[in-house]
Amino acid sequence: MDDLLMLCRLPGSYEGPWSGEQEHGTDVAKFGGEPMSGSQDFFRTRQPQAVFKHGILSRYPVVFASKTGQSRKVVFLDGYAGRGEYKDGSPGSPLLLSRTAKRVGDFRYVTGIYVERNKADFQNLQQVMAEHGRPEDVVLGGDLHELLPRVLQTAQATALFAFLDPFGTALDREQLVDHLLNRQSGRAPTEVLLHISISTVARIGGLLRRRREAGALSPADRKTIAHADRFLGGTWWQQHFEPVKDQKDERGATAAALEVAAKYQKRVEAGAHCMSLSMPIRHKPGQLPKYLLVLFTRHVDGLWNFADAVGKAGREWEGAWRSAEMAKARTKAAGVNEYALFGVDTLLPPAEEPFDIKEYEKAHHAEWVRIIEQNIVRLLERHNGFVPVRRLAEVYDGVFGAAAIPQVRAAMKSLYQQGVITNNGIGDFQNHWVTLTGPTSRSA
């Protein structure tokens, strides 16, 4: 631990390979097959997707630290930390994790480790964490691929929550499974919240189409595909893009990327002997997902509390995308010439009251409960019985990312009171069997 703290406290220190060609903005272009905006554009202001992600990140690690840190010691790892905050002053993931650690500080000792390989972002991260972080926060400059052994040594025999949120692809599958999820940690649990960029995988899939058509690729493009092979654990994923023939077929490429992500998720589960739950993240409803946030855990309680965090974060995202759309409309309207045929007011959508999460939940609670009731009944029509925590995707079907534990509990209580099911929705009801006691028509 001392060497990590020493590196953190040396002003301007940086460890790991770096050159101007390895900064995020350039590296992402290599991984994605085409130029991307990189971290500088990303950190201008929080987009709705980031609001969703940060909503999860501000909630779930609290539960992880509370339930797993039985020795009182916990490590939070942000493996692709970026800058510490956005240019508008909003906290980035390192500050969110640091604040989470402070919230549980009375009963857990949390070491926060934040890794960033982009030199400019690393220096900004150092400054932000020095000003707003905790003494237990460690900032490392370099590539997580190379620094992971040292991080795992620090977290030895300690509960570890790792957040992997790169611009592009994350650790090679071998490192993720063999070194991180299967680390030798005694009884100390390990959980990983992984960002899988659907848009990046889809773009890399486009290189395969180009290779089929042209017969050859540039050295940079070949390197990109090889990197994807290491991240995904082989070349198996390439066959999923064979049906995508048109470079303009964004929907087909996204569907192929989602198939790849789902199979990758299952392969990680099998290799690490764990469970997982994923949430597709979009800019707004109806759009193709930009990425998935996937939790890998060995305990069903992890999945249960992650689903709850996702539901509550989804309500914040609801307000964020609505606000973003209104801001976009106002920007467009502001550019209209004052002598135009239509006035500015006619271009704006109807004014809405400021988004209120509690009012939004109140307005949708009954609908979410009804949908969950129907999901439970459908499950019981297919199975003699089930344990809710082991059927989360089906229980939350249609409301995942909006409903949370209170709505599941209310649905269970309602069905029990109707005489339909045996589980009364009280206490740790999610861990107990649900079976039919009466006709399903009562809950239709």
Side-chain angles (χ1 to χ4, degrees):
M1 184 67 181
D2 291 342
D3 58 339
L4 297 185
L5 291 174
M6 184 179 297
L7 178 56
C8 171
R9 290 168 181 165
L10 285 175
S13 64
Y14 185 85
E15 181 168 297
W18 177 83
S19 71
E21 287 148 8
Q22 290 177 314
E23 291 193 3
H24 266 150
T26 306
D27 236 7
V28 173
K30 293 179 183 178
F31 294 159
E34 63 182 67
M36 293 176 65
S37 60
S39 61
Q40 297 302 314
D41 287 342
F42 178 84
F43 280 102
R44 284 178 182 168
T45 185
R46 288 203 310 172
Q47 296 297 314
Q49 304 99 300
V51 171
F52 206 145
K53 175 175 61 182
H54 290 168
I56 296 171
L57 203 59
S58 65
R59 291 177 172 88
Y60 183 74
V62 173
V63 179
F64 176 84
S66 301
K67 288 183 173 292
T68 65
Q70 301 306 317
S71 67
R72 291 185 56 85
K73 293 183 178 179
V74 179
V75 169
F76 288 167
L77 167 64
D78 190 343
Y80 303 86
R83 301 164 67 91
E85 62 185 3
Y86 290 78
K87 292 186 177 179
D88 65 0
S90 302
S93 58
L95 274 183
L96 286 173
L97 284 173
S98 182
R99 291 175 182 177
T100 297
K102 188 174 182 179
R103 287 169 60 188
V104 300
D106 289 342
F107 54 92
R108 294 289 183 268
Y109 180 87
V110 182
T111 299
I113 302 176
Y114 311 98
V115 178
E116 176 52 43
R117 69 176 180 178
N118 176 285
K119 189 173 184 179
D121 287 348
F122 165 74
Q123 291 172 342
N124 178 270
L125 176 63
Q126 269 196 321
Q127 179 180 347
V128 168
M129 299 308 290
E131 294 175 356
H132 305 293
R134 307 169 307 130
E136 299 88 352
D137 290 329
V138 179
V139 181
L140 299 178
D143 196 310
L144 179 62
H145 176 85
E146 298 174 357
L147 292 172
L148 186 61
R150 292 176 58 192
V151 172
L152 295 181
Q153 180 63 33
T154 300
Q156 191 172 17
T158 303
L160 170 63
F161 174 80
F163 178 52
L164 306 183
D165 181 32
F167 288 100
T169 51
L171 289 173
D172 296 349
R173 181 186 176 278
E174 179 183 0
Q175 274 195 304
L176 175 67
V177 173
D178 297 344
H179 300 170
L180 184 52
L181 285 169
N182 287 339
R183 70 190 178 109
Q184 299 300 313
S185 58
R187 298 177 61 86
T190 304
E191 292 189 356
V192 174
L193 180 58
L194 174 65
H195 170 138
I196 301 178
S197 175
I198 298 302
S199 55
T200 294
V201 174
R203 279 192 293 271
I204 297 176
L207 297 181
L208 302 176
R209 175 191 52 77
R210 191 186 306 170
R211 184 175 65 184
R212 291 196 303 268
E213 295 174 353
L217 291 174
S218 68
D221 287 342
R222 292 198 300 271
K223 185 177 180 180
T224 294
I225 293 175
H227 188 95
D229 289 343
R230 294 194 301 274
F231 168 65
L232 295 167
T235 61
W236 59 267
W237 63 277
Q238 298 184 17
Q239 62 183 335
H240 289 272
F241 284 93
E242 290 178 2
V244 184
K245 308 295 184 183
D246 189 345
Q247 64 176 344
K248 297 181 180 179
D249 185 7
E250 181 183 3
R251 188 164 295 276
T254 299
L258 286 168
E259 290 176 2
V260 168
K263 190 169 183 179
Y264 167 82
Q265 188 175 334
K266 292 298 183 183
R267 290 167 69 95
V268 172
E269 282 185 12
H273 306 289
C274 66
M275 301 167 286
S276 68
L277 189 62
S278 66
M279 178 65 207
I281 307 295
R282 299 170 171 82
H283 176 75
K284 65 178 182 178
Q287 290 190 344
L288 297 173
K290 295 295 184 182
Y291 60 88
L292 305 179
L293 283 178
V294 186
L295 179 74
F296 293 101
T297 178
R298 288 188 174 85
H299 203 289
V300 291
D301 282 354
L303 301 182
W304 177 246
N305 289 290
F306 180 67
D308 184 65
V310 166
K312 292 170 181 174
R315 300 165 196 175
E316 295 171 351
W317 167 79
E318 185 76 24
W321 75 258
R322 291 187 185 194
S323 177
E325 290 300 298
M326 178 61 76
K328 186 187 301 183
R330 291 191 180 281
T331 299
K332 181 178 180 181
V336 175
N337 188 293
E338 62 178 321
Y339 301 108
L341 179 61
F342 300 104
V344 170
D345 291 342
T346 65
L347 299 177
L348 290 173
E352 294 185 2
E353 293 294 325
F355 185 80
D356 187 305
I357 290 178
K358 291 184 178 180
E359 289 299 320
Y360 177 78
E361 179 184 353
K362 186 184 300 183
H364 290 82
H365 175 83
E367 177 189 3
W368 294 337
V369 171
R370 177 182 57 80
I371 292 172
I372 294 170
E373 284 186 40
Q374 293 173 343
N375 292 341
I376 293 170
V377 170
R378 277 194 292 267
L379 273 166
L380 289 172
E381 289 172 345
R382 296 194 299 267
H383 309 280
N384 291 329
F386 70 94
V387 178
V389 74
R390 297 190 179 276
R391 295 281 184 177
L392 283 180
E394 294 148 297
V395 169
Y396 277 103
D397 186 29
V399 291
F400 189 51
I405 290 175
Q407 284 74 45
V408 181
R409 187 184 298 276
M412 299 290 289
K413 286 183 175 181
S414 174
L415 290 174
Y416 177 78
Q417 290 165 1
Q418 295 174 55
V420 176
I421 62 173
T422 56
N423 192 316
N424 61 12
I426 296 174
D428 294 333
F429 70 94
Q430 72 274 11
N431 297 319
H432 301 293
W433 277 89
V434 180
T435 56
L436 282 170
T437 59
T440 60
S441 60
R442 298 186 188 181
S443 62

